[in-house]
Amino acid sequence: MTDTPTLTLRGVDLYRGWLAPEAQAAMLDDLRAVIRAAPLFHPETRWGKRMSVRMTSAGRLGWVSDRRGYRYEPRHPSGVAWPPIPGSVLAIWRALGPAGRDPDCCLVNFYGEGARMGLHQDRDEASFDWPVISVSLGDEGLFRIGGVGKGGSTESVWLTSGDVVVMGGAARLVHHGVDRIRFGSSRLLPQGGRVNLTLRVVT
Ligand code: SIN
Ligand code: MN
């Protein structure tokens, strides 16, 4: 695999099919173990609205949201520590991310039928000097990318299973979201759905 992006949109690099199908299946097995230890939950926004995406995390810190707001916590809402980030996932960061440090958090998002994620920035981290690296598995998702500032035009691209996206440098704070998924478009997850992982340096 080369490390030249297939496509760069608004400064966001897309590596199409970075993970071969066997590697996707193996990673999914690793994630099933993560989810057994730290089950997926529906976070609430700070306004008390249930998000359509279910989430959990691996790593030293996990991302949570409730009426107290968005933040990173050392424990799953059940009180257990987040499980470690699987080696298969860390390998992507080590291949495409900056040298010298591993991510603190791997946020695991699960999109069932009808789930989506509104346009937002990833800005709950202490520094924006490190990229956010995202991995898509399973059903296709329509990923929308805007600018760093609010408003303005956006562009969209379908992310497919095995794709890796790097939001770094001037594109670290771009607005992004997932408008919809094509439920059942991939056979990786027998029951359908899309998994997205985002790797973040938090502190
Ligand atoms: C996210 O912004 O946390 C998820 C992005 C995606 O699902 O592709
Ligand atoms: Mn995000």
Side-chain angles (χ1 to χ4, degrees):
M1 191 80 211
T2 81
D3 55 9
T4 308
T6 318
L7 184 74
T8 301
L9 265 184
R10 309 282 175 114
V12 174
D13 289 331
L14 166 60
Y15 297 84
R16 187 71 89 191
W18 174 266
L19 285 175
E22 312 77 67
Q24 296 170 32
M27 187 172 289
L28 202 58
D29 280 340
D30 294 341
L31 295 170
R32 287 192 176 104
V34 166
I35 289 167
R36 274 197 297 277
L40 292 165
F41 56 94
H42 275 287
E44 277 190 353
T45 65
R46 67 184 83 202
W47 301 280
K49 189 173 174 328
R50 196 175 95 141
M51 294 186 185
S52 60
V53 175
R54 287 194 289 153
M55 297 182 184
T56 190
S57 291
R60 196 168 68 74
L61 292 166
W63 188 85
V64 299
S65 169
D66 55 26
R67 285 170 192 268
R68 288 167 50 208
Y70 304 147
R71 63 196 183 278
Y72 288 91
E73 291 280 1
R75 289 179 183 277
H76 183 272
S78 68
V80 299
W82 307 101
I85 301 176
S88 57
V89 177
L90 282 177
I92 297 179
W93 177 276
R94 291 174 185 163
L96 290 176
R101 94 158 271 189
D102 280 339
D104 300 307
C105 172
C106 171
L107 176 64
V108 180
N109 288 154
F110 177 77
Y111 297 74
E113 194 162 14
R116 57 184 300 282
M117 187 177 291
L119 213 58
H120 66 277
Q121 291 172 296
D122 289 357
R123 51 178 322 137
D124 303 318
E125 300 74 32
S127 154
F128 307 130
D129 293 342
W130 308 90
V132 170
I133 297 188
S134 123
V135 185
S136 293
L137 296 169
D139 289 342
E140 295 167 20
L142 186 58
F143 187 63
R144 183 189 289 270
I145 308 170
V148 173
K150 233 176 150 54
S153 67
T154 63
E155 290 177 77
S156 297
V157 61
W158 283 97
L159 296 181
T160 59
S161 198
D163 290 354
V164 174
V165 165
V166 180
M167 294 186 281
R172 170 62 180 77
L173 285 172
V174 292
H175 286 78
H176 59 279
V178 175
D179 288 347
R180 60 193 169 94
I181 67 162
R182 279 185 181 134
F183 190 78
S185 54
S186 157
R187 273 186 286 184
L188 185 69
L189 282 84
Q191 314 289 321
R194 173 173 186 263
V195 175
N196 176 265
L197 310 176
T198 43
L199 296 168
R200 299 119 182 267
V201 168
V202 177
T203 56

